Amino acid sequence: MAEENVAPVEEAEEVTQDDKLWALLSWLPWVGWILAIIALVIEPQKTRPFIRHNAVQALAVNIVLGVLSAILSPTCVGSILVLVLWLATIYWCIKAYQGEWITIPFVADFCKNQGWI
């Protein structure tokens, strides 16, 4: 049997520079959630699979980090932990701008089960 090299559905379309930029903006710490919502609402971006994949996960991660910030900020150790987690989003910004399909383990599974991705 010959093996078929079939690209995953997510990677079927070419990722453009515009896609990479919107993905990066969605992952920005503290303001990314606003830009992720914008990317999911405006017409040309909301139909692009790469932008949608990153914007949905970035929105979910930013919501979780916002809740953690509110809960853990009163403690010194909690503040440091939350800061480190917020800085991790910068790593995901860089990866998104490089055109990589970012998959945060629990977040991506949750978003896929909800039908958002």
Side-chain angles (χ1 to χ4, degrees):
M1 288 183 113
E3 291 185 25
E4 293 182 28
N5 290 333
V6 179
V9 174
E10 297 172 343
E11 296 179 15
E13 286 189 37
E14 183 180 334
V15 177
T16 65
Q17 282 300 113
D18 190 47
D19 293 348
K20 293 177 186 178
L21 180 62
W22 275 101
L24 174 137
L25 293 174
S26 296
W27 282 107
L28 286 176
W30 298 290
V31 296
W33 66 273
I34 297 168
L35 299 168
I37 291 172
I38 292 170
L40 291 170
V41 172
I42 60 177
E43 189 54 45
Q45 283 72 24
K46 72 179 183 181
T47 59
R48 302 288 299 165
F50 185 75
I51 296 174
R52 184 169 187 81
H53 178 83
N54 281 285
V56 167
Q57 285 188 90
L59 184 58
V61 166
N62 278 305
I63 289 171
V64 168
L65 289 178
V67 170
L68 284 176
S69 294
I71 294 170
L72 297 177
S73 288
T75 66
C76 183
V77 174
S79 296
I80 294 169
L81 176 66
V82 169
L83 179 63
V84 169
L85 291 173
W86 280 109
L87 292 176
T89 61
I90 293 174
Y91 173 75
W92 295 322
C93 281
I94 294 167
K95 290 297 184 183
Y97 194 69
Q98 292 172 347
E100 294 185 27
W101 290 78
I102 299 167
T103 303
I104 311 300
F106 298 108
V107 175
D109 293 338
F110 176 77
C111 293
K112 284 180 184 175
N113 290 337
Q114 300 301 316
W116 299 335
I117 295 180

